[in-house]
PDB file of all heavy atoms in Angstrom:
ATOM      1  N   ASP Y  27      40.835  12.655 -42.726  1.00 93.00           N
ATOM      2  CA  ASP Y  27      41.271  11.240 -42.884  1.00 93.00           C
ATOM      3  C   ASP Y  27      40.060  10.323 -42.721  1.00 93.00           C
ATOM      4  O   ASP Y  27      38.980  10.695 -42.179  1.00 93.00           O
ATOM      5  CB  ASP Y  27      42.274  10.923 -41.758  1.00 93.00           C
ATOM      6  CG  ASP Y  27      43.634  11.532 -42.045  1.00 93.00           C
ATOM      7  OD1 ASP Y  27      43.947  11.862 -43.192  1.00 93.00           O
ATOM      8  OD2 ASP Y  27      44.389  11.617 -41.065  1.00 93.00           O
ATOM      9  N   ILE Y  29      37.795   7.205 -41.268  1.00 95.00           N
ATOM     10  CA  ILE Y  29      37.440   6.854 -39.871  1.00 95.00           C
ATOM     11  C   ILE Y  29      38.517   5.905 -39.314  1.00 95.00           C
ATOM     12  O   ILE Y  29      38.988   6.016 -38.168  1.00 95.00           O
ATOM     13  CB  ILE Y  29      36.072   6.222 -39.751  1.00 95.00           C
ATOM     14  CG1 ILE Y  29      34.990   7.259 -40.063  1.00 95.00           C
ATOM     15  CG2 ILE Y  29      35.798   5.593 -38.399  1.00 95.00           C
ATOM     16  CD1 ILE Y  29      34.969   8.478 -39.121  1.00 95.00           C
ATOM     17  N   THR Y  35      45.046   6.956 -35.398  1.00 94.00           N
ATOM     18  CA  THR Y  35      45.780   8.191 -34.958  1.00 94.00           C
ATOM     19  C   THR Y  35      45.396   8.470 -33.511  1.00 94.00           C
ATOM     20  O   THR Y  35      46.296   8.823 -32.714  1.00 94.00           O
ATOM     21  CB  THR Y  35      45.433   9.360 -35.868  1.00 94.00           C
ATOM     22  OG1 THR Y  35      45.763   9.049 -37.198  1.00 94.00           O
ATOM     23  CG2 THR Y  35      46.148  10.643 -35.437  1.00 94.00           C
ATOM     24  N   SER Y  56      56.929   9.414  -8.038  1.00 93.00           N
ATOM     25  CA  SER Y  56      57.161   8.314  -7.071  1.00 93.00           C
ATOM     26  C   SER Y  56      58.606   8.364  -6.511  1.00 93.00           C
ATOM     27  O   SER Y  56      58.818   7.977  -5.366  1.00 93.00           O
ATOM     28  CB  SER Y  56      56.856   6.950  -7.704  1.00 93.00           C
ATOM     29  OG  SER Y  56      57.879   6.615  -8.682  1.00 93.00           O
ATOM     30  N   LYS Y  68      55.929  22.897 -14.683  1.00 87.00           N
ATOM     31  CA  LYS Y  68      56.601  24.119 -15.248  1.00 87.00           C
ATOM     32  C   LYS Y  68      56.191  25.360 -14.481  1.00 87.00           C
ATOM     33  O   LYS Y  68      56.180  26.444 -15.056  1.00 87.00           O
ATOM     34  CB  LYS Y  68      56.289  24.279 -16.721  1.00 87.00           C
ATOM     35  CG  LYS Y  68      56.650  23.068 -17.555  1.00 87.00           C
ATOM     36  CD  LYS Y  68      58.144  22.954 -17.730  1.00 87.00           C
ATOM     37  CE  LYS Y  68      58.474  21.847 -18.651  1.00 87.00           C
ATOM     38  NZ  LYS Y  68      59.512  20.993 -18.157  1.00 87.00           N
ATOM     39  N   ASN Y  75      70.257  20.637  -7.351  1.00 90.00           N
ATOM     40  CA  ASN Y  75      70.276  19.301  -6.826  1.00 90.00           C
ATOM     41  C   ASN Y  75      69.288  18.405  -7.526  1.00 90.00           C
ATOM     42  O   ASN Y  75      69.524  17.206  -7.818  1.00 90.00           O
ATOM     43  CB  ASN Y  75      69.959  19.373  -5.296  1.00 90.00           C
ATOM     44  CG  ASN Y  75      70.167  18.024  -4.655  1.00 90.00           C
ATOM     45  OD1 ASN Y  75      71.081  17.260  -4.959  1.00 90.00           O
ATOM     46  ND2 ASN Y  75      69.297  17.666  -3.728  1.00 90.00           N
ATOM     47  N   ILE Y  85      65.919   9.895 -14.499  1.00 82.00           N
ATOM     48  CA  ILE Y  85      64.493  10.107 -14.383  1.00 82.00           C
ATOM     49  C   ILE Y  85      64.219  11.511 -14.918  1.00 82.00           C
ATOM     50  O   ILE Y  85      64.638  12.536 -14.327  1.00 82.00           O
ATOM     51  CB  ILE Y  85      63.999   9.983 -12.950  1.00 82.00           C
ATOM     52  CG1 ILE Y  85      64.266   8.554 -12.449  1.00 82.00           C
ATOM     53  CG2 ILE Y  85      62.511  10.336 -12.838  1.00 82.00           C
ATOM     54  CD1 ILE Y  85      64.010   8.407 -10.965  1.00 82.00           C
ATOM     55  N   LEU Y 108      62.142   7.985 -33.465  1.00 85.00           N
ATOM     56  CA  LEU Y 108      61.755   6.764 -34.109  1.00 85.00           C
ATOM     57  C   LEU Y 108      61.339   5.715 -33.086  1.00 85.00           C
ATOM     58  O   LEU Y 108      60.314   5.059 -33.247  1.00 85.00           O
ATOM     59  CB  LEU Y 108      62.892   6.219 -34.980  1.00 85.00           C
ATOM     60  CG  LEU Y 108      62.677   4.960 -35.746  1.00 85.00           C
ATOM     61  CD1 LEU Y 108      61.516   5.125 -36.723  1.00 85.00           C
ATOM     62  CD2 LEU Y 108      63.940   4.479 -36.458  1.00 85.00           C
ATOM     63  N   GLU Y 130      44.701 -14.862 -33.116  1.00 93.00           N
ATOM     64  CA  GLU Y 130      43.661 -15.823 -33.475  1.00 93.00           C
ATOM     65  C   GLU Y 130      43.119 -15.491 -34.897  1.00 93.00           C
ATOM     66  O   GLU Y 130      42.871 -16.413 -35.642  1.00 93.00           O
ATOM     67  CB  GLU Y 130      42.485 -15.714 -32.520  1.00 93.00           C
ATOM     68  CG  GLU Y 130      42.726 -16.357 -31.153  1.00 93.00           C
ATOM     69  CD  GLU Y 130      41.521 -16.126 -30.260  1.00 93.00           C
ATOM     70  OE1 GLU Y 130      40.431 -15.808 -30.754  1.00 93.00           O
ATOM     71  OE2 GLU Y 130      41.767 -16.197 -29.019  1.00 93.00           O
ATOM     72  N   ALA Y 141      46.137  -9.999 -43.035  1.00 94.00           N
ATOM     73  CA  ALA Y 141      46.081  -8.558 -42.880  1.00 94.00           C
ATOM     74  C   ALA Y 141      44.692  -7.987 -43.265  1.00 94.00           C
ATOM     75  O   ALA Y 141      44.170  -7.131 -42.585  1.00 94.00           O
ATOM     76  CB  ALA Y 141      47.186  -7.887 -43.749  1.00 94.00           C
ATOM     77  N   ALA Y 159      50.213  -7.274 -38.922  1.00 94.00           N
ATOM     78  CA  ALA Y 159      50.312  -8.723 -39.215  1.00 94.00           C
ATOM     79  C   ALA Y 159      51.781  -9.114 -39.330  1.00 94.00           C
ATOM     80  O   ALA Y 159      52.180 -10.192 -38.820  1.00 94.00           O
ATOM     81  CB  ALA Y 159      49.539  -9.016 -40.552  1.00 94.00           C
ATOM     82  N   LEU Y 165      56.706 -12.508 -34.322  1.00 83.00           N
ATOM     83  CA  LEU Y 165      56.742 -13.080 -32.990  1.00 83.00           C
ATOM     84  C   LEU Y 165      56.524 -14.564 -32.981  1.00 83.00           C
ATOM     85  O   LEU Y 165      56.982 -15.257 -32.026  1.00 83.00           O
ATOM     86  CB  LEU Y 165      55.586 -12.408 -32.138  1.00 83.00           C
ATOM     87  CG  LEU Y 165      55.794 -10.931 -31.846  1.00 83.00           C
ATOM     88  CD1 LEU Y 165      54.547 -10.344 -31.109  1.00 83.00           C
ATOM     89  CD2 LEU Y 165      57.044 -10.653 -31.051  1.00 83.00           C
ATOM     90  N   SER Y 172      71.721 -18.483 -32.638  1.00 80.00           N
ATOM     91  CA  SER Y 172      72.758 -17.597 -32.066  1.00 80.00           C
ATOM     92  C   SER Y 172      73.665 -18.454 -31.165  1.00 80.00           C
ATOM     93  O   SER Y 172      73.158 -19.046 -30.209  1.00 80.00           O
ATOM     94  CB  SER Y 172      72.128 -16.469 -31.261  1.00 80.00           C
ATOM     95  OG  SER Y 172      73.080 -15.886 -30.418  1.00 80.00           O
TER      96      SER Y 172
END
Side-chain angles (χ1 to χ4, degrees):
D27 285 340
I29 293 298
T35 302
S56 71
K68 305 286 184 227
N75 189 38
I85 299 172
L108 181 61
E130 285 176 21
L165 294 174
S172 163

